[in-house]
Amino acid sequence: MEKIRANREAAAGAAIGLTVAAAAATYYVIKRSNSRVRPNGKFPLETLPNDAYDAVIVGAGPSGSTCAHFLASAGARVALLDKETFPRDKYCGDAVCTPGLNILEEMGVLKELVDNNEAHFADSGGFVSPSGLTYIGQSKERLGGAAACAVKRTNLDKRIAWKARHVGAELKEGFEVGKENPTFDKQTGLWMVKSTEGKTVKGRVLVIADGATSKLAMQMGYCTEPPKGVCSRAFIEGGTHNVDFDGVCFYQRESLPGYSAIFRHPNDELNFCYYLIPCGKDGMCGDVSEADLKRLHEGALKSDPFISQAVGPNAKVERMKAAALRLGSQGVPSSYDDHLLIIGDAAGHIDPLTGEGIHTALMGGKAAAQTILDMRAAGDYSKLSTRIYEQRWMKAFGHDFAFSKKGAELIYKYPILLDACANEMQRVGDSMMTKWAEVMTNMRPKTYFLRPDVAIPMGFAIVRELWAQNVSKRPDLYKTGSSL
Ligand SMILES: Cc1cc2nc3c(=O)[nH]c(=O)nc-3n(C[C@H](O)[C@H](O)[C@H](O)COP(=O)(O)OP(=O)(O)OC[C@H]3O[C@@H](n4cnc5c(N)ncnc54)[C@H](O)[C@@H]3O)c2cc1C
């Protein structure tokens, strides 16, 4: 009897073990197949007509041109369309974060920028907190390289687009995709894209890369609302100002979670910009809105104690320009469809805490190219395959968007968090500043701030700030006036 029971128990144990193993194997197989494009698709390589492209990319900004570069250099046929002719300007703060610099290096673009003195690598930088605490430190040595680099967009975008052309992409300038939506033929599996002048281009995959306002994604129904963020820009002529740092962010209380920033370019030129980040009530960026941007931008240059002194009275400042920011996938619920991908600003790939989107445009452009190349090899361009692109960009940077949004809400509600950061930087120096720089430039996820070795000292810094602001009544240096 005993023996029979023991045998039964052993058999039951083996059955459970086998079931668990089978479930684990099934899960593994499903997971693997879910993260790969589908094989044996309807459109193998040889079915692509001679007059058609593997990909038609609308927009040759950083996202579109990077996608074109990686596709063409792997042998794919690419049409890269832009309504403008390069070089062309694009309003931007011009700060390219490290993950973007790595991709520029991989494409051979960074070397060209450096050789032509078009890139300035940041070393000395920091920020001014809402109550006027300042910290400026050196980051290059600790990080083993610059956290960011300033490149004028006329130079950056021209060099990436030209590089894509150099490796085989057909750059078609002055090609504006008009009001007429591209049409898709299910039989042939080809898109037909028309310019306002009636020129046409055919391709297997349509890549929408036409920027934050993305008329194309809007009119095709992939994007449901206009962008909610905005940012200004003004260049300041070299030799006319007093700035001696490479990059500083100024967190004025009035416009939190937005901020203004000064970045140094080669030849002592500066870029001053003012980011308004959506937060709080719909249509608002904290307590201000797009209508306030001109007043904030000009007011900061004229009367912000830190900025006005850094810039000085004789600075030759360009007239303010401004453009939209679509942050954190705002209004774009999905970035893929059958034979279609949406990349860069058109997909809302701007960090919702910092307003930075060049590096994510480059990373997303590369992820799109990798997916298209996989689909090209497998002959399948259905949604089941294009969704791999969304998995890739989520893994590369998208997972951080929710934390960035939370971060923006937190600093809007509790500006003291930024004061505590500056307080901690003043206490421990560059080690804290480099942590901050790494998180803000996407070298580390925002959750890094939750690690005990960062969160605990920050907790003490908050207590110190609460004491300084509420008990010992330290004056607000933004109000009393100070300089960097
Ligand atoms: C003022 C400002 C400051 C910023 N500062 C920074 C910063 O410091 N650092 C940072 O990382 N990010 C910054 N950003 C965000 C950054 O500019 C974008 O994330 C980046 O440009 C996205 O690249 P993209 O290729 O997706 O789009 P874009 O650079 O906008 O390129 C889109 C391209 O599509 C073309 N196009 C548009 N419509 C059509 C059409 N119908 N047919 C054909 N072509 C078309 C355009 O001509 C353009 O070349 C800033 C944005 C603004 C507005």
Side-chain angles (χ1 to χ4, degrees):
M1 204 57 188
E2 277 289 298
K3 211 173 169 191
I4 293 171
R5 194 178 300 138
N7 281 344
R8 264 197 206 140
E9 278 172 7
I16 291 169
L18 277 174
T19 313
V20 170
T26 313
Y27 173 76
Y28 179 71
V29 168
I30 291 173
K31 199 161 179 258
R32 264 178 80 85
S33 63
N34 274 349
S35 59
R36 284 190 178 171
V37 303
R38 293 212 316 172
N40 310 321
K42 254 170 89 179
F43 302 106
L45 207 48
E46 60 277 12
T47 60
L48 185 72
N50 284 339
D51 64 343
Y53 296 88
D54 290 296
V56 177
I57 303 173
V58 181
S63 62
S65 294
T66 300
C67 182
H69 177 277
F70 284 103
L71 283 173
S73 51
R77 293 215 300 265
V78 185
L80 177 60
L81 319 176
D82 204 287
K83 61 179 180 176
E84 306 283 345
T85 300
F86 291 88
R88 58 107 180 90
D89 192 13
K90 153 83 177 84
Y91 308 150
C92 188
D94 303 334
V96 188
C97 304
T98 303
L101 294 176
N102 295 339
I103 296 179
L104 291 177
E105 190 168 19
E106 194 180 343
M107 294 192 290
V109 172
L110 194 62
K111 183 175 179 326
E112 286 183 7
L113 292 167
V114 171
D115 289 350
N116 289 285
N117 190 30
E118 292 166 350
H120 182 84
F121 292 89
D123 185 14
S124 62
F127 79 96
V128 180
S129 80
S131 70
L133 291 189
T134 61
Y135 186 83
I136 296 190
Q138 316 298 124
S139 59
K140 245 188 200 170
E141 203 179 315
R142 268 182 183 274
L143 291 173
C149 175
V151 186
K152 278 192 170 183
R153 293 293 296 272
T154 35
N155 297 324
L156 179 73
D157 294 18
K158 149 190 108 179
R159 297 242 173 251
I160 312 177
W162 289 353
K163 199 69 171 176
R165 180 172 60 191
H166 179 73
V167 296
E170 277 185 46
L171 174 62
K172 295 177 188 290
E173 294 167 294
F175 192 116
E176 178 169 7
V177 177
K179 284 208 174 99
E180 214 176 299
N181 275 351
T183 50
F184 183 67
D185 182 335
K186 276 191 180 160
Q187 224 42 42
T188 57
L190 290 172
W191 285 97
M192 166 86 83
V193 182
K194 231 182 193 174
S195 80
T196 44
E197 290 170 344
K199 287 183 228 153
T200 56
V201 178
K202 280 191 287 182
R204 272 277 177 260
V205 185
L206 175 65
V207 181
I208 302 180
D210 57 346
T213 48
S214 189
K215 281 195 191 135
L216 197 50
M218 288 284 272
Q219 70 195 32
M220 290 179 78
Y222 292 108
C223 178
T224 55
E225 56 189 18
K228 292 182 175 169
V230 66
C231 185
S232 65
R233 181 206 77 187
F235 288 133
I236 300 174
E237 212 175 290
T240 70
H241 56 80
N242 306 326
V243 167
D244 57 3
F245 51 77
D246 296 322
V248 169
C249 297
F250 305 85
Y251 286 94
Q252 291 90 347
R253 196 179 293 272
E254 183 187 2
S255 49
L256 288 173
Y259 65 100
S260 59
I262 294 178
F263 300 114
R264 177 188 291 280
H265 275 297
N267 302 324
D268 196 38
E269 209 173 341
L270 304 177
N271 182 330
F272 173 70
C273 50
Y274 209 122
Y275 298 82
L276 297 188
I277 308 274
C279 185
K281 280 193 214 135
D282 198 32
M284 296 298 286
C285 297
D287 293 333
V288 294
S289 71
E290 187 178 340
D292 296 297
L293 183 61
K294 195 169 188 315
R295 173 183 64 79
L296 290 165
H297 175 104
E298 288 174 357
L301 283 167
K302 218 165 124 196
S303 43
D304 178 292
F306 301 96
I307 297 172
S308 60
Q309 285 191 44
V311 168
N314 304 316
K316 287 194 180 150
V317 185
E318 181 199 29
R319 186 175 56 83
M320 182 192 106
K321 317 257 170 81
L325 300 171
R326 184 184 293 285
L327 306 104
S329 303
Q330 178 237 318
V332 192
S334 170
S335 62
Y336 64 93
D337 200 348
D338 287 329
H339 292 245
L340 181 140
L341 304 175
I342 311 174
I343 65 175
D345 276 15
H349 288 175
I350 297 189
D351 188 287
L353 177 62
T354 64
E356 286 160 346
I358 301 173
H359 62 294
T360 41
L362 296 168
M363 292 157 97
K366 186 177 170 185
Q370 285 167 337
T371 311
I372 295 171
L373 289 171
D374 292 348
M375 294 192 298
R376 187 170 170 262
D380 185 78
Y381 299 85
S382 70
K383 261 195 245 183
L384 288 170
S385 290
T386 50
R387 79 196 160 91
I388 304 300
Y389 154 67
E390 189 157 296
Q391 290 176 0
R392 283 189 163 131
W393 69 254
M394 275 302 286
K395 191 171 172 210
F397 56 83
H399 62 276
D400 224 25
F401 283 170
F403 296 104
S404 287
K405 267 186 209 158
K406 242 314 146 245
E409 279 165 27
L410 280 174
I411 61 175
Y412 168 55
K413 283 191 193 145
Y414 309 107
I416 198 164
L417 291 174
L418 289 167
D419 294 322
C421 260
N423 181 310
E424 183 64 3
M425 283 179 202
Q426 288 182 347
R427 190 178 74 85
V428 297
D430 288 351
S431 63
M432 176 65 190
M433 213 272 295
T434 44
K435 279 179 198 162
W436 169 269
E438 283 177 310
V439 173
M440 289 300 162
T441 55
N442 272 146
M443 279 152 59
R444 289 182 191 271
K446 305 287 177 303
T447 45
Y448 185 66
F449 283 129
L450 302 177
R451 275 175 41 158
D453 59 324
V454 185
I456 293 169
M458 273 298 295
F460 283 113
I462 292 170
V463 173
R464 288 198 300 276
E465 270 307 300
L466 281 169
W467 182 272
Q469 292 182 24
N470 300 307
V471 182
S472 58
K473 303 279 180 204
R474 185 189 65 213
D476 183 326
L477 297 173
Y478 249 118
K479 288 189 185 136
T480 56
S482 187
S483 61
L484 284 164

